[in-house]
Structures are given as structure tokens and as C-alpha cells.
Amino acid sequence: MQTFKDTGLPEEILKAIGELGYETPTPIQSKTIPEILNHGNDLIALAQTGTGKTGAFGLPVIPQVVTEEKRVQALILCPTRELCLQITKDLQKYAKYYKDLFVTPVYGGTEIRTQMRALKKGSHIVVGTPGRMNDLINRKAIELGDVRWLILDEADEMLNMGFKDDLESIMAQTPEWRQTLLFSATMPAAIAKMSKKYMSDPVELSVGAKNAGASNVEHQFYMVQAHDRYKALKRIVDVTPDVYGIIFCRTRQETKDIADKLMADGYNADAIHGDLSQAQRDMVMHRFRKKHLQLLVATDVAARGIDVNDLTHVINYNLPDDIEVYIHRSGRTGRAGKKGIAVTIIHSREMHRIKAIEKIAKKTFERKMVPKADEICEKQLFSFLDRVSVTELEETSPVNALLPAAYDKLANMEREQLIKQFVAAEFNRFMEYYKDAPDLNIYKEDRGRGGRDRRDGGRGRDNADFSRLFINVGKVDKITSGDIIGLINSKLKGVTVKVGKIELLRNFSFVEVDKAYEQDVITKLSKAKMKGKSVNLEVASPKPSSSSRRRPQSGRKKRY
């Protein structure tokens, strides 16, 4: 097994990273460090987010900087403020035993004059975002004529974010003899074009296949109706009590809406988007990194530079337009050798996009079924009981003073009753919410009918003899076919009732059920409520032919 010493790094660097606990280089570091130390060739390094790219270029560049010369010798460009600060922090740790080496971050969203003063004092390595770097160049606050290393980190993301002109303007200020190091997770056409224009016979190094997803990320998708996305999201989160992840949305407004809904529903969630001030963004990110938030809702642009190694999930509320963006998103979980899960919520007409990602990313997606109420409630209960069982009460805790009164209050309860009351107090509201929750999944037969929402749980008509029932709720009550199926399933537990066609009309609906369970369905459902409205069912005549002029409800036969 290769060690950092084998790469040729000097003792000062080895000592610093040894104190950080680094023992063996990552695959991309193994390839790039010797190349940058021993050769002056331009370099294209392809590797996913979280594979140690900062170390891949920072560890070999730092010992080559001439600290006696107070000029900018290395320029590192990255897409966001967060990544800029993270790179700076890492480089300063690596350079711990190079006392006279100075690293300066420059980025937008903060006072430019403060950064100008820092640069005037002298800096050897500058880490910056393209927009702010251009501002500094235009103000003649930075001189790039002595730059030996020009490093583009997450180059594909900078191009995706529209920084092409800024990058070209900055590169024009650096000498032609510089060594250009381009690091990217993917290799889109724009990167290939840039390398031909601005790089000289670059060496290409990669970890894994181009545009391939991270190897330790599991890819899953759920298929629901588009209007059920948020309901599905909640169930996915609820069935995973320990989730710690990022939810990606398409637009700034969608990000706000989803975050607001999650917070209103009691989840530890918040959003980052372009409308936040830098101070607000910093506060949200601080809470997320400290795990005071379980869920961070973000757009792709706002999430650039987020550096969190232990995310359990990345959830795509919508699929991105570009496959490379999906690869970037999924690469934010499963980092630092840990396992991760990338979840995507799709509707019936998006299956071809899943297939396209599978082909390019060379990953297989697993179809998962949106969990039902009983599965969610069981998971939540066991998670709660696990938390209770490992909770420690210190002798100095103020809770101890309250225990005698609690013992007296509960003294008359038997063990079983106490547990029952304990669980009920914690879960009554939660279980009430899922009481009549419908099946949100779309099945194959639904897709075959153009994606219409039949939601019969895969039972279909088969050869069953169906009875057509009139039900006094309809579209005006905001009822869906799934709501009716869910009510039947919840009220006739342990019984498989075949459901046929469901017709949703304005003020009422018709549903076909197995004739053998006709009276059971009417009896059980007539005692229920849907969306706050008392349900009433009657047996209706078979659906009239298209030539019939009778009103649909005129064929009632009997009432229970």
C-alpha cells in the first residue's frame, strides 16, 4: 500500500498531514502528487467530489512555493465562497510548518477593501471565486504576472454557473509559461474545449470512468404522480429517522416552498438560495454542519462548495436537466469512504431519463416503493425507542430533582399500561396523520394507461366480478383515486379487495370493487371521513353506455 512518503512529499508536509491523521493518499492524490512535484506539464484530473482533490493539488504545490518572494505564485479558482474558504482552511493546515507562507481567500458577498488590504500585505497563494477575482484585477489590486500554478477546481461547475468569460479574462492575466491544473468531476464538451484552447498537451489522470458516479453511492428512485412529490418526500424522510441530507430543487422559488412546507410540518429543515444574504447563508450552513438541521433544501448553484463528509442522503426532488449535474449531486453523499444513498422522485414519463443516467454514469437504479403508513410508523417507533434506550441521565442532571414527583404521578400504572401511554403520547399525532394515507406508488398498469392514477395496488381487474359503488365525494373535495384506495385498504385491513376503475367526477365518484366484498366496503367506509367529509356509499348500476342519456346517479338500486 502506497504511503504519502512514497509520493515524494517533503518532511514538513508529511509531519503536518500526519498530525491531521492522514496516512495513505486517495487514488487521485496518488496519481497527481508525483506528477505535480516532478513535472511541469499541464494536468487534467478527473475525480468525484469528496475524493481529496484539495490535497491532490495543495500538497505538492505548497513545498514548491518560494516564500522569500512576496508575490502571488499560485492562483486557485473555485465556484463558490464556501469552497473558497474550505480550500483555504485545508491549505493552511497543510502549510503548518511553512511559517512564512501566506494563503489569502477572496470572494464576493463581503467587503472588497478588506481583501485588498490582505493582498497588499503579500500573499503566496490566492484562492478566489471568478467574479471577485475579476473585480480585484480591474481595481489593479492583484498582480498575476508571476503565477506559476493556475488551478481550476470544480472547473465543470464554474462553466455551468456561467463563469466562462470571467475565467478567460483571468487566464489572460497569467503568464503563458504557467502550469495549468484543471480538476473536474466530469468531462463535458466545454471542459474539453477549454483544455484545447488554454492548456499545452495536458496529461489526463482520472479515478474511475469519465462522468461516472461515485462507487459507494446507492441509487434509488420512487415513481409517483407529479402532484404527490411532496407527500412522497415526507414519507421517504419519515421512514429514515436518522436522515441527514440535501434536497435538491430546480428553482429558487421551489426551494423556498419545499423548505417552508417541511418546517411547517415540524421537520428540522431550512433552505439556501440566492435571495439569502451572506450572513443568513452562513447561519444556515453553520446549523447544518452542526447537525442542528437534518435537511438542507438547495438549488444546484446555492449548494456549490458545501463540504460535508457524512451526508446519508441526497434527494432529487426533481431530476436535473443535465446528467453531469445528477452525478455532481449524488457525489455529495458517500464521501470519505462512507456509504451514501441518492434518491430521486420521478413521475411516470421520466423513466427514460433514469435509463439515460444509468447508461452514462454506469450505475443501476433500484426502484423503491413509497413506504406505507404501517412501515413508517414502525420505523419511527423503533427509532424513538432506540433513542430512549441509549439516553444517559447524569447524576448532576436537573431532571433527577423531578423524578420523585414523576414516580408518584405514575405509581398506579402497570408496566404495560405505562408503556402504552408513553408510546401513545409520543405517536398519537403522527399515527393520526397517516391513518388513512393512500398508496402513492404508480404501477406498471398505470403507466400503460398514460400515467393515469388508478392506484389499485397492482391488483387490477383480473377475473373478479365487480360491483360499481357510488361515493359522495369528488374532485371538489380534493379527493384523488389514491385517497379512495387508501381508505379501502385502511378500513379492510388483512383483506385483499380487488379494485377496478375509479371515476372521479365533480361532486361524487364511482369505484368498482370485488362484488364479494361489496357490503363490507359499504359498511366499513360509511363510518369513515375523507378530507373532513362523512363518506356515504351506495350500489350503483353498471356504467351506462355512451349512447345512454341517463344521469350517472339515477341508477341507484339500494342503500345501506
Side-chain angles (χ1 to χ4, degrees), residues 485-504:
I485 291 292
L487 187 61
I488 293 172
N489 289 340
S490 66
K491 295 300 180 183
L492 284 88
K493 292 180 179 178
V495 178
T496 301
V497 180
K498 291 185 174 64
V499 179
K501 187 174 182 180
I502 296 175
E503 301 170 72
L504 293 176

Side-chain angles (χ1 to χ4, degrees), residues 116-149:
M116 291 171 67
R117 286 193 294 269
L119 291 170
K120 193 172 183 179
K121 291 179 182 179
S123 183
H124 300 101
I125 301 176
V126 173
V127 187
T129 55
R132 176 51 58 94
M133 184 60 63
N134 254 331
D135 288 343
L136 291 167
I137 291 172
N138 292 335
R139 292 177 184 230
K140 301 187 184 305
I142 188 169
E143 172 58 49
L144 303 179
D146 293 317
V147 168
R148 289 179 58 193
W149 298 276

Side-chain angles (χ1 to χ4, degrees), residues 513-525:
V513 300
D514 188 339
K515 198 172 185 64
Y517 294 97
E518 173 191 291
Q519 188 165 350
D520 290 331
V521 171
I522 293 174
T523 302
K524 295 286 187 182
L525 268 63

Side-chain angles (χ1 to χ4, degrees), residues 103-384:
V103 183
T104 304
V106 294
Y107 48 84
T110 191
E111 176 56 55
I112 192 171
R113 284 174 292 187
T114 302
Q115 296 173 357
M116 291 171 67
R117 286 193 294 269
L119 291 170
K120 193 172 183 179
K121 291 179 182 179
S123 183
H124 300 101
I125 301 176
V126 173
V127 187
T129 55
R132 176 51 58 94
M133 184 60 63
N134 254 331
D135 288 343
L136 291 167
I137 291 172
N138 292 335
R139 292 177 184 230
K140 301 187 184 305
I142 188 169
E143 172 58 49
L144 303 179
D146 293 317
V147 168
R148 289 179 58 193
W149 298 276
L150 174 62
I151 302 164
L152 307 180
D153 191 20
E154 295 207 12
D156 50 354
E157 293 308 321
M158 287 192 283
L159 292 180
N160 288 337
M161 293 169 68
F163 287 133
K164 181 176 181 292
D165 292 342
D166 286 327
L167 290 174
E168 290 183 343
S169 177
I170 295 167
M171 294 170 84
Q173 301 296 317
T174 60
E176 292 185 4
W177 47 262
R178 69 179 186 267
Q179 184 179 13
T180 304
L181 309 174
L182 189 154
F183 286 77
S184 181
T186 59
M187 189 66 171
I191 291 292
K193 186 176 180 180
M194 174 177 279
S195 67
K196 289 180 180 178
K197 186 174 181 180
Y198 295 104
M199 303 177 77
S200 176
D201 297 323
V203 174
E204 186 174 316
L205 303 175
S206 64
V207 176
K210 293 181 182 179
N211 299 328
S215 60
N216 53 343
V217 175
E218 182 180 341
H219 300 265
Q220 303 174 350
F221 74 93
Y222 295 81
M223 186 181 293
V224 299
Q225 295 294 332
H227 57 74
D228 284 335
R229 282 187 198 275
Y230 181 70
K231 292 179 183 177
L233 171 65
K234 285 185 62 177
R235 295 197 194 183
I236 294 165
V237 171
D238 285 342
V239 85
T240 317
D242 297 325
V243 64
Y244 177 50
I246 301 176
I247 301 169
F248 282 99
C249 296
R250 281 181 179 272
T251 66
R252 187 178 302 178
Q253 187 59 51
E254 186 177 62
T255 299
K256 295 178 186 177
D257 292 343
I258 298 305
D260 288 345
K261 286 182 180 179
L262 288 170
M263 288 186 282
D265 287 336
Y267 295 90
N268 292 327
D270 210 333
I272 54 170
H273 48 73
D275 287 346
L276 296 181
S277 68
Q278 195 61 58
Q280 290 172 318
R281 182 185 172 100
D282 290 344
M283 179 60 70
V284 173
M285 285 308 305
H286 176 75
R287 293 169 61 209
F288 186 57
R289 287 195 175 96
K290 294 293 184 181
K291 295 192 176 180
H292 297 158
L293 297 176
Q294 276 190 287
L295 299 168
L296 183 68
V297 190
T299 59
D300 291 291
V301 172
R304 300 301 174 224
I306 292 177
D307 188 61
V308 181
N309 282 334
D310 49 355
L311 295 180
T312 62
H313 289 71
V314 164
I315 301 175
N316 298 285
Y317 191 75
N318 281 294
L319 273 173
D321 293 326
D322 295 329
I323 292 174
E324 290 85 358
V325 174
Y326 174 86
I327 295 170
H328 255 289
R329 288 181 180 181
S330 62
R332 296 190 178 278
T333 185
R335 298 175 66 174
K338 298 178 181 179
K339 296 290 184 180
I341 298 175
V343 170
T344 301
I345 304 172
I346 66 170
H347 59 71
S348 58
R349 295 180 298 280
E350 291 183 308
M351 193 62 213
H352 70 284
R353 301 182 65 193
I354 294 292
K355 296 295 184 185
I357 296 172
E358 286 184 320
K359 182 178 180 181
I360 292 179
K362 298 177 176 60
K363 297 295 176 185
T364 300
F365 279 71
E366 179 186 2
R367 165 79 187 271
K368 304 288 285 188
M369 306 307 288
V370 178
K372 298 182 181 178
D374 53 352
E375 180 185 354
I376 293 170
C377 292
E378 182 178 307
K379 282 273 190 179
Q380 286 285 337
L381 174 60
F382 288 162
S383 175
F384 172 69

